[in-house]
Amino acid sequence: MKAKIDALNWKILKSLQENARESFANIGRKVGLTAPAVGERVKKMEDLGVISGYKAVVSHSHTGYQLKAIITLRAFMGKLKPFLEAVNSFEEVVNCYRITGNENIIMMVVLKDQFHLEKFIDKLIQYGETRTHIVLSDVVSNAPIRRSDS
Amino acid sequence: MKAKIDALNWKILKSLQENARESFANIGRKVGLTAPAVGERVKKMEDLGVISGYKAVVSHSHTGYQLKAIITLRAFMGKLKPFLEAVNSFEEVVNCYRITGNENIIMMVVLKDQFHLEKFIDKLIQYGETRTHIVLSDVVSNAPIRRSDS
DNA sequence: GATGAAACGTTGTGGTT
DNA sequence: AACCACAACGTTTCATC
């Protein structure tokens, strides 16, 4: 599962986490490799699963989702599975985890406004008991993975 | 704040959220534009802030972080600000939000193992009271932003 | 990994609607 | 204002070493 990543690959990962569209030629200039060498290293990391994809980061607020909330769900008996099957179709849900503890599920959701939030909570009520926290500000957003010097 | 995005731009955003390294020429073929036209539209969305960046997605588990947890923090009096200043230097913290409710802070953290978790919680204890939920599985991970047909 | 060459992509200019 | 066509330049990819 765990791949050994050398110092050069960490530099490449740093670059690509900062700007996934940076050219391999440019990355090569920064780390001291030729473009084909960078390309090969990247392809290997993709094949190993170290890099699982490249995503454009789209602003929630600029696309009409001005409100963010964290919602926990304590699913009713027999309602967890139906929820897990439905949650992928909820456009509001950006992240969702199954967790230990009194609540089974925690989600980060984006919403247009308070009315949208109300409607969304109504949609969840069939699956279980919810608890909602409004997000006041983002302190850290998808921080890059750095070398863990173990 | 909110930009009006037409159907073509939504298709471009969909492509770039699925694969941020896809060429403008290729995207153009899919949506029925030439490469320069796609390039111009993308540049405009970047300038407006609709697209805020491009990130390689690096696997936590393949880089030595086998354990994920959600930790809430109820900061002690006068300890919230010091925490907010320190949290960016915690390599374990991937996401962190200030929220309403009894707890002020919620974080998604990645860890090497249970000992790492223990050490990390010890590091937090000076800032406030914590509550930890282990993540059992990812149900939804950074879902793309889709058109909100309002 | 490097080099060199061919294929491909990006980006600027100019012109059309 | 948005797009296309074309061309110069940079990048990727494949062969070979």
Side-chain angles (χ1 to χ4, degrees):
Chain A
M1 209 63 175
K2 182 181 165 186
K4 50 263 154 277
I5 300 167
D6 67 13
L8 237 38
N9 273 357
W10 273 115
K11 284 190 191 173
I12 295 171
L13 287 177
K14 181 170 184 287
S15 257
L16 287 174
Q17 288 182 95
E18 283 167 5
N19 177 13
R21 287 189 68 84
E22 184 152 25
S23 74
F24 296 163
N26 235 320
I27 294 170
R29 266 164 231 135
K30 294 198 299 188
V31 306
L33 288 175
T34 58
V38 175
E40 266 182 38
R41 276 166 173 267
V42 169
K43 173 137 195 11
K44 209 159 284 176
M45 288 195 281
E46 288 170 1
D47 292 344
L48 285 171
V50 174
I51 298 173
S52 66
Y54 305 92
K55 286 193 182 182
V57 183
V58 174
S59 159
H60 300 133
S61 62
H62 284 79
T63 47
Y65 297 99
Q66 266 80 9
L67 192 58
K68 243 180 268 196
I70 306 285
I71 304 181
T72 58
L73 179 78
R74 182 163 145 70
F76 298 138
M77 287 260 280
K79 288 294 186 178
L80 182 59
K81 223 180 133 192
F83 171 80
L84 293 175
E85 280 157 12
V87 68
N88 281 291
S89 69
F90 298 162
E91 67 171 32
E92 294 91 347
V93 177
V94 176
N95 285 294
C96 178
Y97 306 102
R98 271 197 73 179
I99 55 173
T100 60
N102 222 316
E103 283 96 13
N104 330 78
I105 294 287
I106 188 161
M107 303 171 253
M108 205 281 276
V109 305
V110 292
L111 306 142
K112 285 179 248 181
D113 50 40
Q114 72 191 94
F115 303 109
H116 189 186
L117 173 58
E118 189 175 359
K119 277 202 311 187
F120 184 68
I121 293 172
D122 286 348
K123 198 157 62 172
L124 290 182
I125 206 66
Q126 59 176 303
Y127 299 106
E129 202 180 309
T130 63
R131 190 182 295 218
T132 302
H133 302 266
I134 301 295
V135 172
L136 299 172
S137 62
D138 287 36
V139 183
V140 176
S141 290
N142 288 316
I145 296 292
R146 286 159 275 182
R147 176 208 260 101
S148 68
D149 327 89
S150 54
Chain B
M1 208 65 175
K2 182 181 164 187
K4 50 264 156 276
I5 300 167
D6 66 13
L8 236 39
N9 273 358
W10 274 114
K11 284 190 192 174
I12 294 170
L13 287 178
K14 181 170 184 288
S15 256
L16 287 174
Q17 288 182 96
E18 284 168 5
N19 177 12
R21 287 189 69 83
E22 183 152 25
S23 73
F24 296 162
N26 237 319
I27 295 169
R29 266 164 230 135
K30 294 198 299 188
V31 306
L33 288 175
T34 58
V38 176
E40 268 181 35
R41 277 169 172 266
V42 169
K43 173 140 194 10
K44 210 158 283 177
M45 289 195 281
E46 288 170 359
D47 291 345
L48 285 170
V50 174
I51 298 173
S52 66
Y54 306 92
K55 287 192 184 184
V57 182
V58 175
S59 160
H60 300 132
S61 62
H62 284 79
T63 47
Y65 297 99
Q66 266 80 7
L67 192 58
K68 244 180 268 196
I70 306 286
I71 303 181
T72 58
L73 179 78
R74 182 164 145 70
F76 298 137
M77 288 259 281
K79 288 293 187 180
L80 182 59
K81 225 181 132 191
F83 171 80
L84 293 175
E85 280 156 12
V87 68
N88 281 290
S89 69
F90 297 163
E91 68 171 32
E92 294 92 348
V93 178
V94 176
N95 285 295
C96 178
Y97 306 101
R98 270 197 74 178
I99 55 174
T100 60
N102 222 317
E103 283 97 12
N104 330 77
I105 293 286
I106 188 162
M107 304 170 253
M108 205 282 276
V109 305
V110 291
L111 305 142
K112 285 179 249 179
D113 50 41
Q114 71 192 95
F115 303 107
H116 189 185
L117 172 59
E118 189 175 358
K119 277 201 313 188
F120 183 67
I121 292 172
D122 286 348
K123 198 158 61 172
L124 290 181
I125 205 66
Q126 59 176 303
Y127 298 106
E129 202 180 309
T130 64
R131 190 181 295 218
T132 301
H133 303 265
I134 301 296
V135 172
L136 299 173
S137 62
D138 286 36
V139 183
V140 176
S141 290
N142 287 316
I145 296 291
R146 287 159 273 182
R147 177 207 261 103
S148 68
D149 328 89
S150 54

